[in-house]
Amino acid sequence: MTAWQAEQLDALRMVRRHLTEIKSGRREQLRASAGDYLSFRQDLDLFLAAHFSQVCTRTCYTNNRSACCGKDGIIIFFAEVVINALVSSEEALDRLMGVLEQPNAGLKCVYLGAQGCRWQLRPAVCALFLCDPAEAEVFHSNAHLRSQWSRFKKREKKFRWPDRAVLFDDLEKSFITAGYESPLMYCHTSPGLLRVKRSAGIVTAVSRDQNRSGHPFR
């Protein structure tokens, strides 16, 4: 198991643990808080399926050339682990854990299986990756589609970029308050994102002293 796999596995374990600790009503609240993000991802998937599915399948996936699925190279936010757990079955999460626990002998992402990504809701960095040739083929004569794509990328930042109250930051805070810590909590650990918070006048983190639950980080 690589260090990247270990971080992913640890994050998934703590998410599953906390979701079993909380009441069902609180779990539903967490899922409801992600409603706008889930709508965004549905819109994005429809756009990609309509305009890029055939292009990307033909040029990358079937030829095993995809640069977006490089081994241990995907930046996944902790909040994405939470959201994926909220929309996945326990059996699906068991399979993800099983994959992470095994050595990845291939050159591609451990999450990439024969049918594509093993996540129910794949990470945003993957969904929003388009290689230059694919963009050129689809957008070269269609400025409207290019404009739509730009709007999708801006829309995603409203959930992740912490220059205001954003979903990804809020989900991290809810787990930090419950006593959990993960290097995937980029809204609270990334120097760049912490600078964004400071520039926006936003409190940068829930520190150990601010951990309202009173529990040490697990």
Side-chain angles (χ1 to χ4, degrees):
M1 182 190 302
T2 65
W4 183 87
Q5 285 178 246
E7 287 183 349
Q8 297 288 315
L9 181 60
D10 187 53
L12 181 53
R13 281 174 173 162
M14 69 176 66
V15 167
R16 298 188 74 181
R17 184 185 312 133
H18 184 54
L19 292 181
T20 62
E21 293 171 344
I22 60 179
K23 295 180 179 179
S24 59
R26 175 55 181 156
R27 181 171 178 143
E28 288 306 311
Q29 287 178 345
L30 288 175
R31 175 161 179 153
S33 73
D36 288 344
Y37 180 72
L38 294 173
S39 294
F40 157 68
R41 291 301 304 272
Q42 183 178 44
D43 293 343
L44 176 62
D45 285 348
L46 289 172
F47 177 87
L48 293 171
H51 305 292
F52 282 92
S53 180
Q54 292 186 354
V55 173
C56 295
T57 300
R58 181 183 73 246
T59 59
C60 280
Y61 187 72
T62 56
N63 294 321
N64 200 32
R65 292 191 312 205
S66 176
C68 66
C69 299
K71 182 178 180 180
D72 295 0
I74 298 171
I75 297 175
I76 298 173
F77 280 68
F78 185 84
E80 297 184 280
V81 182
V82 177
I83 296 168
N84 187 62
L86 289 169
V87 300
S88 298
S89 67
E90 293 302 315
E91 292 77 12
L93 297 177
D94 286 341
R95 288 193 292 270
L96 281 185
M97 292 184 68
V99 168
L100 288 170
E101 290 168 344
Q102 299 300 316
N104 182 9
L107 298 175
K108 299 299 182 182
C109 174
V110 68
Y111 292 128
L112 184 62
Q115 303 302 315
C117 183
R118 291 185 168 98
W119 281 43
Q120 180 70 25
L121 188 72
R122 60 184 174 149
V125 69
C126 305
L128 286 162
F129 177 87
L130 293 177
C131 69
D132 291 341
E135 287 196 23
E137 181 171 342
V138 174
F139 294 150
H140 78 283
S141 61
N142 197 321
H144 176 65
L145 288 181
R146 185 181 294 276
S147 178
Q148 280 186 280
W149 181 243
S150 295
R151 288 197 294 272
F152 274 120
K153 291 193 288 186
K154 290 179 181 178
R155 191 173 163 190
E156 188 268 341
K157 290 184 72 173
K158 294 180 180 179
F159 302 102
R160 172 183 56 84
W161 195 252
D163 58 353
R164 71 199 88 179
V166 294
L167 173 66
F168 282 23
D169 192 21
D170 289 343
L171 287 176
E172 286 183 13
K173 286 178 184 175
S174 70
F175 276 76
I176 292 172
T177 301
Y180 293 93
E181 182 181 47
S182 168
L184 304 189
M185 293 175 172
Y186 296 120
C187 291
H188 290 81
T189 62
S190 164
L193 293 183
L194 291 175
R195 283 195 296 272
V196 170
K197 285 185 172 184
R198 286 193 292 269
S199 296
I202 297 173
V203 176
T204 58
V206 177
S207 69
R208 292 175 186 269
D209 292 337
Q210 293 170 311
N211 178 14
R212 295 189 295 274
S213 71
H215 296 297
F217 283 95
R218 293 181 246 188

